[in-house]
Amino acid sequence: MVAQGKPTDFERIQLLRAELMAANKAYYQQDAPTLSDPEYDARLRELRRLEERNPQWQSADSPTQRVGATPLEAFTEVHYTVAMTSLDNVFDQEGFRDWLGRVQKGLHLEEVALSAEPKFDGLSVNIRYVDGKLMQAGTRGDGQSGEDVTANVRTIRNIPLQLAGKGWPDLLEVRGEVVIPVAAFQRLNEERLHGGENPFANPRNAAAGSLRQLDSTVTAKRPLAFFPWGWGESSAPLGGAHSTIMHSLSVWGFEVTPYLRNVRHLIECESYFNEMQKSREGMPFEIDGLVFKVDDLAARERLGFTARAPRWAIAYKFPAHEERTVVEDILASVGRTGVITPVAVLRPVQVGGVTVSRASLHNQDEVDRKDIRVGDTVLVRRAGDVIPEVVMVLKEERSATAQPWQMPLRCPVCDSEVLRLANESAHRCMGGLYCPAQRMGAVEHFASRKAMDIRGLGEKLVQQLVERGLVHSVADVYHLDEAALCGLERMASRSAQKLLAEIEQSRHTSLSRFLYALGIRQVGESTAKSLAAYFGDLEPLLAATPEVLQNIPDVGPIVAESIVHFFAQPHNLEVIAALRAGGLDWDVVEPQKGGCFQGMTLVLTGSLDSMTREDAKVAIENRGGKVSSAVSAKTSYVVVGKEAGSKAEKAAKLGLTQLTEAQFLAMLSKKE
């Protein structure tokens, strides 16, 4: 009997790929996850490390190829042998009956077999497979050519990188729609507003914007999905009917819509249309109608095409959910991150069966663009059948006394200054440590791992503390006691003592962690470290002018403005004073005005004998440098340790300077 030893790297790679591919299918296509998110992420990290260590076994169909790559400079063109045509539209029963009548007449049949499916409102793409492997993907473009979005399409989890089953042609182009769930669309817009970006107008724009990212790592973070509706070039016949080919695509690994139906006459068509129109509001993806197609491919050949669309297919659009109402007021609503959003208070109106009384106007730019004023009569639509949206103002009905709306100069909740940075569309309340509207968000961020690292002080507990009036600002965290904590839900004496120990331990921290914990807009972890290294203590930073701040490599005019305005708010200074009075402190360090890596970007690859990767990162940052995870033409040095992976190879191709561990240590030891 032969003892089984530790699996080789190759065997482990194959096992991890199989596990992750199965997990993707279970999660995205069967709605039955087999791995928790931490388990999935751990396996993916292990696989990525093994592939970097063994570049000879890297594969285009590996799950690691879904996480995105370095940004592209621009999209190249993709050309299609079989054109991607558009569809003609009809908007009522009369228009649909006319189309069906023309089909029946063209085929000399009284009854025609049709396939019917939802018309997903997303971005059409063509995905090319060679020998079963995903090789290229492009947008519709002008039908003859589109944009090459291969790197981005690879990140979409329900698209197979390698076709499953058997019987697929050596060359196959699958066409379909890239969409984003309505719930994910709402979350994405909230994140964009909090980040000072303009929201997407609808889920289609969100899907299109996600797929057209030059940086595919951004696309990888978006919960996109793909539903096939057809095919392009193929090296072999696929079958004789649309419905049977869709079944084949599902066998080969694609998520075909479960709403695909076969219908044969007008009554069945109209019944299906009415059924889907009623259920559309409960669907996870936005649809704006149905597509009816002649199912038999030979019959399609006989019908042919017009100049722009097939005669054998039609898009039967749902009626728009729009109604008239009046804007009775516009309020400035302060969110938990300080973003101030104008909200239209509407005269209540039924839109698609739901009473709508408020609609977000997103930001000042949107209010100005649509020129929305109090008292205006407007058209309101439920975007994505969920989110109320003011579509347009009926200006012919506007009162002569109606005045343009302007964002308030002071926060309506805490009276702090309202600021709009030059690179953002959002206005923000600058009283982040004090403003009641931002209280929960401020405390959660303050306690987060990269800030004060108070483990156990999570969202649900913070919510209880705020709602019960135990915490009015982050400074109150340091005045909590066991009696107060034990009065909370699911908080026994042992849990309370454990949390208090975490809070006590956080009293002594570093200046960089403290600055990051304050939640200053534009000041992330890296900028906080740069500020701490440059000033050494808080007082010199509080007195710094924008001009002084801009001497720091990480700090430009916009970041400097944000820092100065944050510390100019009396309420913020009061909370900082209360924190220090409560015992929070840090070691004062000698201000560091420069370093051997000042203004440089370094990449670490492989393992070092003398220090951990994290220690090396801190050493570089303490000497004015940044550490990046990706090699690019802007990289200053690549530090190459043992078992260096593909990053070293890429550095060599780009002609970048590579440092051995000895050379790196020599640079660190130089006197500044």
PDB file of all heavy atoms in Angstrom, residues 634-655:
ATOM      1  N   LYS A 634       4.181  52.691 -14.249  1.00  0.00           N
ATOM      2  CA  LYS A 634       4.408  53.720 -13.235  1.00  0.00           C
ATOM      3  C   LYS A 634       5.123  53.167 -11.995  1.00  0.00           C
ATOM      4  O   LYS A 634       5.417  53.914 -11.070  1.00  0.00           O
ATOM      5  CB  LYS A 634       3.073  54.345 -12.832  1.00  0.00           C
ATOM      6  CG  LYS A 634       2.378  55.098 -13.969  1.00  0.00           C
ATOM      7  CD  LYS A 634       1.073  55.719 -13.506  1.00  0.00           C
ATOM      8  CE  LYS A 634       0.376  56.466 -14.641  1.00  0.00           C
ATOM      9  NZ  LYS A 634      -0.920  57.053 -14.205  1.00  0.00           N
ATOM     10  N   THR A 635       5.378  51.867 -11.959  1.00  0.00           N
ATOM     11  CA  THR A 635       6.053  51.256 -10.808  1.00  0.00           C
ATOM     12  C   THR A 635       7.519  51.696 -10.756  1.00  0.00           C
ATOM     13  O   THR A 635       8.224  51.621 -11.768  1.00  0.00           O
ATOM     14  CB  THR A 635       5.982  49.721 -10.902  1.00  0.00           C
ATOM     15  OG1 THR A 635       4.609  49.331 -10.982  1.00  0.00           O
ATOM     16  CG2 THR A 635       6.625  49.075  -9.687  1.00  0.00           C
ATOM     17  N   SER A 636       7.962  52.139  -9.579  1.00  0.00           N
ATOM     18  CA  SER A 636       9.350  52.590  -9.425  1.00  0.00           C
ATOM     19  C   SER A 636      10.302  51.409  -9.228  1.00  0.00           C
ATOM     20  O   SER A 636      11.346  51.319  -9.875  1.00  0.00           O
ATOM     21  CB  SER A 636       9.463  53.551  -8.230  1.00  0.00           C
ATOM     22  OG  SER A 636       8.535  54.604  -8.331  1.00  0.00           O
ATOM     23  N   TYR A 637       9.956  50.508  -8.302  1.00  0.00           N
ATOM     24  CA  TYR A 637      10.780  49.329  -8.031  1.00  0.00           C
ATOM     25  C   TYR A 637       9.873  48.125  -7.798  1.00  0.00           C
ATOM     26  O   TYR A 637       8.759  48.262  -7.264  1.00  0.00           O
ATOM     27  CB  TYR A 637      11.636  49.510  -6.758  1.00  0.00           C
ATOM     28  CG  TYR A 637      12.698  50.582  -6.839  1.00  0.00           C
ATOM     29  CD1 TYR A 637      12.619  51.719  -6.047  1.00  0.00           C
ATOM     30  CD2 TYR A 637      13.805  50.429  -7.674  1.00  0.00           C
ATOM     31  CE1 TYR A 637      13.591  52.702  -6.096  1.00  0.00           C
ATOM     32  CE2 TYR A 637      14.796  51.407  -7.725  1.00  0.00           C
ATOM     33  CZ  TYR A 637      14.675  52.542  -6.945  1.00  0.00           C
ATOM     34  OH  TYR A 637      15.650  53.500  -7.000  1.00  0.00           O
ATOM     35  N   VAL A 638      10.374  46.941  -8.165  1.00  0.00           N
ATOM     36  CA  VAL A 638       9.718  45.691  -7.808  1.00  0.00           C
ATOM     37  C   VAL A 638      10.674  44.932  -6.892  1.00  0.00           C
ATOM     38  O   VAL A 638      11.789  44.601  -7.291  1.00  0.00           O
ATOM     39  CB  VAL A 638       9.382  44.842  -9.052  1.00  0.00           C
ATOM     40  CG1 VAL A 638       8.760  43.509  -8.630  1.00  0.00           C
ATOM     41  CG2 VAL A 638       8.426  45.606  -9.963  1.00  0.00           C
ATOM     42  N   VAL A 639      10.243  44.693  -5.637  1.00  0.00           N
ATOM     43  CA  VAL A 639      11.067  43.962  -4.671  1.00  0.00           C
ATOM     44  C   VAL A 639      10.779  42.471  -4.861  1.00  0.00           C
ATOM     45  O   VAL A 639       9.649  42.014  -4.669  1.00  0.00           O
ATOM     46  CB  VAL A 639      10.751  44.402  -3.234  1.00  0.00           C
ATOM     47  CG1 VAL A 639      11.621  43.638  -2.243  1.00  0.00           C
ATOM     48  CG2 VAL A 639      10.956  45.910  -3.078  1.00  0.00           C
ATOM     49  N   VAL A 640      11.802  41.718  -5.238  1.00  0.00           N
ATOM     50  CA  VAL A 640      11.632  40.318  -5.622  1.00  0.00           C
ATOM     51  C   VAL A 640      12.183  39.399  -4.533  1.00  0.00           C
ATOM     52  O   VAL A 640      13.387  39.395  -4.255  1.00  0.00           O
ATOM     53  CB  VAL A 640      12.338  40.025  -6.961  1.00  0.00           C
ATOM     54  CG1 VAL A 640      12.132  38.563  -7.365  1.00  0.00           C
ATOM     55  CG2 VAL A 640      11.815  40.961  -8.041  1.00  0.00           C
ATOM     56  N   GLY A 641      11.281  38.656  -3.897  1.00  0.00           N
ATOM     57  CA  GLY A 641      11.684  37.696  -2.885  1.00  0.00           C
ATOM     58  C   GLY A 641      11.705  36.282  -3.428  1.00  0.00           C
ATOM     59  O   GLY A 641      11.716  36.060  -4.648  1.00  0.00           O
ATOM     60  N   LYS A 642      11.670  35.299  -2.533  1.00  0.00           N
ATOM     61  CA  LYS A 642      11.679  33.896  -2.936  1.00  0.00           C
ATOM     62  C   LYS A 642      10.340  33.522  -3.574  1.00  0.00           C
ATOM     63  O   LYS A 642       9.288  34.023  -3.177  1.00  0.00           O
ATOM     64  CB  LYS A 642      11.941  33.002  -1.723  1.00  0.00           C
ATOM     65  CG  LYS A 642      13.352  33.080  -1.178  1.00  0.00           C
ATOM     66  CD  LYS A 642      13.520  32.121   0.003  1.00  0.00           C
ATOM     67  CE  LYS A 642      14.948  32.171   0.539  1.00  0.00           C
ATOM     68  NZ  LYS A 642      15.095  31.284   1.720  1.00  0.00           N
ATOM     69  N   GLU A 643      10.410  32.614  -4.540  1.00  0.00           N
ATOM     70  CA  GLU A 643       9.222  32.111  -5.230  1.00  0.00           C
ATOM     71  C   GLU A 643       8.396  33.256  -5.810  1.00  0.00           C
ATOM     72  O   GLU A 643       7.169  33.279  -5.722  1.00  0.00           O
ATOM     73  CB  GLU A 643       8.366  31.260  -4.287  1.00  0.00           C
ATOM     74  CG  GLU A 643       9.072  30.011  -3.781  1.00  0.00           C
ATOM     75  CD  GLU A 643       8.173  29.150  -2.913  1.00  0.00           C
ATOM     76  OE1 GLU A 643       7.178  29.662  -2.380  1.00  0.00           O
ATOM     77  OE2 GLU A 643       8.476  27.963  -2.771  1.00  0.00           O
ATOM     78  N   ALA A 644       9.087  34.233  -6.382  1.00  0.00           N
ATOM     79  CA  ALA A 644       8.399  35.357  -7.025  1.00  0.00           C
ATOM     80  C   ALA A 644       7.570  34.833  -8.191  1.00  0.00           C
ATOM     81  O   ALA A 644       7.964  33.902  -8.889  1.00  0.00           O
ATOM     82  CB  ALA A 644       9.413  36.384  -7.518  1.00  0.00           C
ATOM     83  N   GLY A 645       6.418  35.449  -8.406  1.00  0.00           N
ATOM     84  CA  GLY A 645       5.501  34.979  -9.433  1.00  0.00           C
ATOM     85  C   GLY A 645       5.551  35.793 -10.710  1.00  0.00           C
ATOM     86  O   GLY A 645       6.602  36.319 -11.103  1.00  0.00           O
ATOM     87  N   SER A 646       4.383  35.930 -11.309  1.00  0.00           N
ATOM     88  CA  SER A 646       4.279  36.563 -12.625  1.00  0.00           C
ATOM     89  C   SER A 646       4.603  38.060 -12.579  1.00  0.00           C
ATOM     90  O   SER A 646       4.908  38.658 -13.612  1.00  0.00           O
ATOM     91  CB  SER A 646       2.871  36.360 -13.186  1.00  0.00           C
ATOM     92  OG  SER A 646       1.901  36.880 -12.293  1.00  0.00           O
ATOM     93  N   LYS A 647       4.551  38.658 -11.380  1.00  0.00           N
ATOM     94  CA  LYS A 647       4.855  40.093 -11.285  1.00  0.00           C
ATOM     95  C   LYS A 647       6.303  40.367 -11.674  1.00  0.00           C
ATOM     96  O   LYS A 647       6.598  41.383 -12.305  1.00  0.00           O
ATOM     97  CB  LYS A 647       4.570  40.603  -9.876  1.00  0.00           C
ATOM     98  CG  LYS A 647       3.085  40.585  -9.500  1.00  0.00           C
ATOM     99  CD  LYS A 647       2.874  41.012  -8.063  1.00  0.00           C
ATOM    100  CE  LYS A 647       1.404  40.914  -7.686  1.00  0.00           C
ATOM    101  NZ  LYS A 647       1.165  41.248  -6.274  1.00  0.00           N
ATOM    102  N   ALA A 648       7.205  39.469 -11.285  1.00  0.00           N
ATOM    103  CA  ALA A 648       8.614  39.633 -11.660  1.00  0.00           C
ATOM    104  C   ALA A 648       8.788  39.523 -13.170  1.00  0.00           C
ATOM    105  O   ALA A 648       9.558  40.272 -13.779  1.00  0.00           O
ATOM    106  CB  ALA A 648       9.475  38.588 -10.949  1.00  0.00           C
ATOM    107  N   GLU A 649       8.060  38.597 -13.772  1.00  0.00           N
ATOM    108  CA  GLU A 649       8.139  38.443 -15.229  1.00  0.00           C
ATOM    109  C   GLU A 649       7.625  39.689 -15.934  1.00  0.00           C
ATOM    110  O   GLU A 649       8.218  40.158 -16.915  1.00  0.00           O
ATOM    111  CB  GLU A 649       7.333  37.216 -15.664  1.00  0.00           C
ATOM    112  CG  GLU A 649       7.886  35.894 -15.141  1.00  0.00           C
ATOM    113  CD  GLU A 649       6.998  34.721 -15.516  1.00  0.00           C
ATOM    114  OE1 GLU A 649       6.048  34.936 -16.311  1.00  0.00           O
ATOM    115  OE2 GLU A 649       7.241  33.617 -15.032  1.00  0.00           O
ATOM    116  N   LYS A 650       6.516  40.226 -15.435  1.00  0.00           N
ATOM    117  CA  LYS A 650       5.959  41.431 -16.050  1.00  0.00           C
ATOM    118  C   LYS A 650       6.912  42.614 -15.879  1.00  0.00           C
ATOM    119  O   LYS A 650       7.080  43.427 -16.797  1.00  0.00           O
ATOM    120  CB  LYS A 650       4.594  41.763 -15.446  1.00  0.00           C
ATOM    121  CG  LYS A 650       3.904  42.922 -16.142  1.00  0.00           C
ATOM    122  CD  LYS A 650       2.474  43.092 -15.682  1.00  0.00           C
ATOM    123  CE  LYS A 650       1.803  44.226 -16.447  1.00  0.00           C
ATOM    124  NZ  LYS A 650       0.400  44.425 -16.000  1.00  0.00           N
ATOM    125  N   ALA A 651       7.546  42.716 -14.711  1.00  0.00           N
ATOM    126  CA  ALA A 651       8.513  43.791 -14.466  1.00  0.00           C
ATOM    127  C   ALA A 651       9.666  43.707 -15.462  1.00  0.00           C
ATOM    128  O   ALA A 651      10.140  44.732 -15.974  1.00  0.00           O
ATOM    129  CB  ALA A 651       9.028  43.719 -13.033  1.00  0.00           C
ATOM    130  N   ALA A 652      10.122  42.486 -15.742  1.00  0.00           N
ATOM    131  CA  ALA A 652      11.222  42.302 -16.696  1.00  0.00           C
ATOM    132  C   ALA A 652      10.800  42.741 -18.096  1.00  0.00           C
ATOM    133  O   ALA A 652      11.559  43.396 -18.811  1.00  0.00           O
ATOM    134  CB  ALA A 652      11.650  40.838 -16.704  1.00  0.00           C
ATOM    135  N   LYS A 653       9.567  42.392 -18.466  1.00  0.00           N
ATOM    136  CA  LYS A 653       9.069  42.778 -19.794  1.00  0.00           C
ATOM    137  C   LYS A 653       8.977  44.296 -19.939  1.00  0.00           C
ATOM    138  O   LYS A 653       9.214  44.852 -21.009  1.00  0.00           O
ATOM    139  CB  LYS A 653       7.703  42.146 -20.041  1.00  0.00           C
ATOM    140  CG  LYS A 653       7.740  40.643 -20.269  1.00  0.00           C
ATOM    141  CD  LYS A 653       6.339  40.095 -20.492  1.00  0.00           C
ATOM    142  CE  LYS A 653       6.372  38.587 -20.676  1.00  0.00           C
ATOM    143  NZ  LYS A 653       5.003  38.024 -20.843  1.00  0.00           N
ATOM    144  N   LEU A 654       8.615  44.961 -18.831  1.00  0.00           N
ATOM    145  CA  LEU A 654       8.474  46.425 -18.869  1.00  0.00           C
ATOM    146  C   LEU A 654       9.796  47.146 -18.643  1.00  0.00           C
ATOM    147  O   LEU A 654       9.856  48.378 -18.709  1.00  0.00           O
ATOM    148  CB  LEU A 654       7.458  46.883 -17.806  1.00  0.00           C
ATOM    149  CG  LEU A 654       5.998  46.462 -18.026  1.00  0.00           C
ATOM    150  CD1 LEU A 654       5.140  46.854 -16.831  1.00  0.00           C
ATOM    151  CD2 LEU A 654       5.449  47.118 -19.304  1.00  0.00           C
ATOM    152  N   GLY A 655      10.861  46.393 -18.364  1.00  0.00           N
ATOM    153  CA  GLY A 655      12.174  46.997 -18.143  1.00  0.00           C
ATOM    154  C   GLY A 655      12.277  47.747 -16.835  1.00  0.00           C
ATOM    155  O   GLY A 655      13.056  48.702 -16.717  1.00  0.00           O
TER     156      GLY A 655
END
